[in-house]
Amino acid sequence: MARINEPFNGIIMNRRDYRERDQLVKILTDKQGPSMFLVRGARRKNFKMAADILPFTHGRYVSWLSSDRLNYIVAAQETHQFRNIGDDITANAYATFILELVDRAFEDGHDIGAWYGQILAALHLINDGQDPQVIANVLEVQLLGRFGVMPEWRHCVICGQNQKLMDYSEAYGGLLCVNHWDHDPHRLHLDAKTINYLRFFATLNLQKVDQVQVDQLVKRNLRWALDKIYGDQVGLRLRSKRFIDQMSDWTEELKKWRQ
Ligand SMILES: [Zn+2]
């Protein structure tokens, strides 16, 4: 028996061609987390939902579970495309990275609760011109828990102190205060500003943020620290992240060349 499901809110994550005329579209849904849908006729010219399933689009969708157990998107309403993300290569790269990270962090077909609002807010901020690296960093800090890494950002893991100078230790899975730095010679040796941002990002509700500004040096340190933690503790290396790294290499080259 075929049945129409409840309408849901969704963000288009990625899509690929399927059969001669169709597409498989992965949508981050507010009710079932990431889910794959079949869109019939999506590859045809003048397809009526063409705009609704473009990358970086969000809105309300109606799906239909067919007797062959496939979920079809049958209608869309009030969809909006994040146009600036689509047009700007840096914004595009970071938004793609966020969605790939989210795809890895959550199992298909499971409710993701408040995460949906947080991820949608991240894309809105990037689309509104906020620094895409910083927005991505906020989610990277917060998503660590989804990969089983739960750093203690509140206080020193040894003594519970939270006022002293802090550093991050991978071995201890959290902060070490200056009195306990001797416990881990491989602590990340981060500066106080970078540590403060990491601690701040851990609980930041992006739905309450209108702008974020972080200076270049701290941004570089955040990038380094999160790459290190994701590399060592999560073991994740995403294609979209490699693209971002290459892009920043090109930017550096270009700067040198212009000087
Ligand atoms: Zn301590």
Side-chain angles (χ1 to χ4, degrees), residues 43-107:
R43 301 177 67 191
R44 276 204 300 249
K45 266 189 198 160
N46 305 321
F47 174 60
K48 68 177 175 17
M49 287 194 294
D52 303 313
I53 57 165
L54 287 174
F56 311 118
T57 297
H58 70 105
R60 236 173 135 59
Y61 299 88
V62 178
S63 70
W64 184 77
L65 182 68
S66 75
S67 49
D68 55 8
R69 305 296 299 164
L70 282 172
N71 273 305
Y72 291 80
I73 292 292
V74 289
Q77 317 156 327
E78 293 167 47
T79 59
H80 303 276
Q81 201 199 7
F82 292 114
R83 284 194 191 282
N84 298 332
I85 293 179
D87 292 345
D88 180 277
I89 185 166
T90 307
N92 190 314
Y94 278 101
T96 303
F97 168 56
I98 287 173
L99 292 176
E100 195 181 358
L101 193 62
V102 164
D103 199 10
R104 294 296 187 91
F106 299 98
E107 229 181 302

Side-chain angles (χ1 to χ4, degrees), residues 56-258:
F56 311 118
T57 297
H58 70 105
R60 236 173 135 59
Y61 299 88
V62 178
S63 70
W64 184 77
L65 182 68
S66 75
S67 49
D68 55 8
R69 305 296 299 164
L70 282 172
N71 273 305
Y72 291 80
I73 292 292
V74 289
Q77 317 156 327
E78 293 167 47
T79 59
H80 303 276
Q81 201 199 7
F82 292 114
R83 284 194 191 282
N84 298 332
I85 293 179
D87 292 345
D88 180 277
I89 185 166
T90 307
N92 190 314
Y94 278 101
T96 303
F97 168 56
I98 287 173
L99 292 176
E100 195 181 358
L101 193 62
V102 164
D103 199 10
R104 294 296 187 91
F106 299 98
E107 229 181 302
D108 284 18
H110 292 268
D111 190 1
I112 57 168
W115 281 104
Y116 183 82
Q118 183 77 339
I119 294 154
L120 188 62
L123 296 177
H124 271 294
L125 286 164
I126 293 176
N127 194 56
D128 292 345
Q130 292 304 311
D131 192 320
Q133 184 209 303
V134 176
I135 303 298
N137 289 164
V138 172
L139 288 180
E140 286 176 84
V141 172
Q142 297 185 357
L143 286 168
L144 280 172
R146 295 292 313 173
F147 297 105
V149 179
M150 293 180 203
E152 178 55 82
W153 296 115
R154 291 167 302 178
H155 45 68
C156 172
V157 292
I158 309 281
C159 69
Q161 167 71 247
N162 70 4
Q163 299 300 324
K164 291 220 165 66
L165 205 54
M166 299 285 189
D167 195 6
Y168 181 75
S169 160
E170 292 182 306
Y172 283 87
L175 299 175
L176 285 180
C177 78
V178 64
N179 293 348
H180 294 110
W181 283 357
D182 57 347
H183 280 60
D184 181 11
H186 302 295
R187 62 193 170 82
L188 297 192
H189 295 88
L190 295 168
D191 61 294
K193 259 191 174 177
T194 304
I195 288 287
N196 285 341
Y197 273 109
L198 289 168
R199 300 180 74 176
F200 173 58
F201 287 174
T203 56
L204 183 62
N205 180 352
L206 289 173
Q207 293 173 83
K208 293 183 177 163
V209 169
D210 338 286
Q211 56 172 324
V212 274
Q213 267 171 348
V214 179
D215 68 54
Q216 283 301 326
L217 181 67
V218 175
K219 270 179 64 179
R220 206 173 300 165
N221 293 342
L222 284 168
R223 177 74 284 147
W224 179 85
L226 286 163
D227 283 354
K228 176 111 180 98
I229 296 170
Y230 267 87
D232 294 347
Q233 295 195 265
V234 179
L236 197 64
R237 197 82 181 96
L238 300 177
R239 202 170 51 159
S240 53
K241 180 58 175 53
R242 279 202 298 274
F243 179 74
I244 289 171
D245 295 342
Q246 284 165 0
M247 204 167 62
S248 63
D249 290 346
W250 299 330
T251 316
E252 288 301 311
E253 283 299 310
L254 210 60
K255 266 189 210 156
K256 276 186 223 156
W257 185 74
R258 281 193 184 128

